[in-house]
Amino acid sequence: MDEVVMDQIMYVVHQVVSWIASVAIIFGGVVPYIPQYRDIRRTQNAEGFSTYVCLVLLVANILRILFRFGRYFETPLLWQSIIMIITMLIMLNLCTSVRMVTELNTKRRSFTATDSKDEEIKVPKRLFLDFDWSHFWFWSHFVDYLQCVLAFTVLATYVTYLLLDSVLFVESLGFLAVFTEAMLGTPQLYCNYQNKSTEGMSIKMVLMWTSGDTFKTGYFLLTQAPMQFWICGLLQVCVDFTILFQVYYYSLYPQKPISHTTHTTSAKAL
């Protein structure tokens, strides 16, 4: 009788732990962006955050969702991708709106054709997709980012549909998805290197990246996720620690004078 009760208790505990782990996997990935989002809203300055982070995560999670059509993996990982895509679009919307406020005199940069308003600032009409590659992923309106993401999703879905029966393609797709996500920190790493500073970057965000990626990699190993997941998870943890080293190095050895400039829109709060 005692053994039956103990088995029931262990089953309940196992279910609770599994549920908590699933919730942590689904929503844990977006938590690091909450302090960064609040910092950008508070300061009305998005310079310290690389929007290429959003590009990396959007591509990685779209490819991961497509990978699931060829090879099954845990449902919480699917929901994690959906939630992350929504979060990255929210971050892009915020960064774009902040840039529009601080760069009022800058000509519009567009993913597709310019609109009628551009004629007022003497920007020539352009054909569909006739955009400047030097301004890729640094457009003036959020709708341009949506158009780009939608175009990529449609193209990737079509290619996946055609090659879904190929084991080589499916495995390569899975590797590309998780490898792209493993490179998540590299845009921020490069942004910090270019600025010779980590000012404007949320250190809390990177600390949460590190703890989340460590937990996620452990989850991949315990649930026996496809090999691509945990290998790239380990790579992602290494990138996180490199960014933390940048924080330490640039705080100990500043490469440029600390800016005391107050942004004209910094009074805008949440």
Side-chain angles (χ1 to χ4, degrees):
M1 184 67 179
D2 291 339
E3 291 183 1
V4 174
V5 173
M6 184 59 67
D7 288 341
Q8 291 177 341
I9 293 175
M10 292 302 297
Y11 174 77
V12 172
V13 170
H14 180 269
Q15 291 297 106
V16 171
V17 171
S18 299
W19 182 83
I20 293 174
S22 297
V23 172
I25 281 293
I26 294 171
F27 296 102
V30 306
V31 172
Y33 300 96
I34 296 175
Q36 184 69 71
Y37 181 91
R38 296 184 62 183
D39 286 347
I40 295 174
R41 285 291 300 272
R42 177 175 53 83
T43 63
Q44 289 295 295
N45 178 20
E47 183 181 351
F49 176 72
S50 174
T51 53
Y52 284 105
V53 169
C54 301
L55 174 61
V56 169
L57 280 175
L58 284 168
V59 170
N61 285 281
I62 290 170
L63 293 180
R64 184 197 284 186
I65 291 174
L66 294 176
F67 175 54
R68 196 173 191 265
F69 287 99
R71 184 172 177 183
Y72 177 83
F73 54 79
E74 294 290 320
T75 301
L77 295 177
L78 173 64
W79 279 106
Q80 180 198 46
S81 293
I82 295 172
I83 298 297
M84 185 60 73
I85 289 172
I86 295 171
T87 302
M88 290 303 101
L89 292 176
I90 292 173
M91 289 294 296
L92 280 174
N93 186 36
L94 174 65
C95 292
T96 305
S97 62
V98 167
R99 280 206 305 263
M100 286 189 66
V101 171
T102 56
E103 302 176 5
L104 292 177
N105 296 325
T106 303
K107 290 183 179 181
R108 180 185 172 185
R109 294 181 286 267
S110 176
F111 171 67
T112 56
T114 55
D115 57 25
S116 59
K117 293 182 180 179
D118 293 318
E119 296 176 359
E120 300 175 5
I121 56 175
K122 300 180 180 180
V123 177
K125 276 285 186 181
R126 294 176 292 180
L127 298 176
F128 182 72
L129 291 184
D130 183 19
F131 62 91
D132 188 346
W133 277 103
S134 63
H135 293 146
F136 177 77
W137 207 252
F138 200 74
W139 300 307
S140 302
H141 292 279
F142 176 62
V143 67
D144 294 306
Y145 292 96
L146 282 179
Q147 290 171 348
C148 181
V149 171
L150 180 61
F152 173 78
T153 303
V154 170
L155 178 61
T157 301
Y158 180 68
V159 173
T160 302
Y161 173 76
L162 292 178
L163 301 175
L164 197 58
D165 292 333
S166 170
V167 176
L168 177 62
F169 172 79
V170 171
E171 293 299 325
S172 299
L173 180 65
F175 177 78
L176 183 61
V178 292
F179 181 76
T180 303
E181 185 176 359
M183 294 293 100
L184 164 64
T186 54
Q188 190 64 58
L189 191 73
Y190 183 69
C191 181
N192 296 340
Y193 174 76
Q194 272 193 320
N195 296 337
K196 301 299 182 184
S197 169
T198 55
E199 183 180 358
M201 182 197 73
S202 173
I203 298 176
K204 290 180 181 178
M205 178 186 72
V206 181
L207 288 172
M208 290 180 181
W209 272 357
T210 307
S211 58
D213 292 338
T214 303
F215 171 79
K216 183 172 62 178
T217 303
Y219 180 87
F220 292 156
L221 291 169
L222 290 175
T223 58
Q224 297 182 337
M227 181 179 62
Q228 298 99 320
F229 282 73
W230 60 264
I231 289 179
C232 292
L234 291 173
L235 177 60
Q236 197 167 355
V237 172
C238 292
V239 174
D240 294 340
F241 275 106
T242 305
I243 296 177
L244 289 176
F245 175 76
Q246 282 185 321
V247 174
Y248 167 77
Y249 181 81
Y250 289 134
S251 62
L252 199 62
Y253 305 103
Q255 304 295 301
K256 64 179 183 178
I258 298 175
S259 174
H260 296 287
T261 304
T262 303
H263 297 279
T264 55
T265 56
S266 60
K268 295 183 180 180
L270 288 173

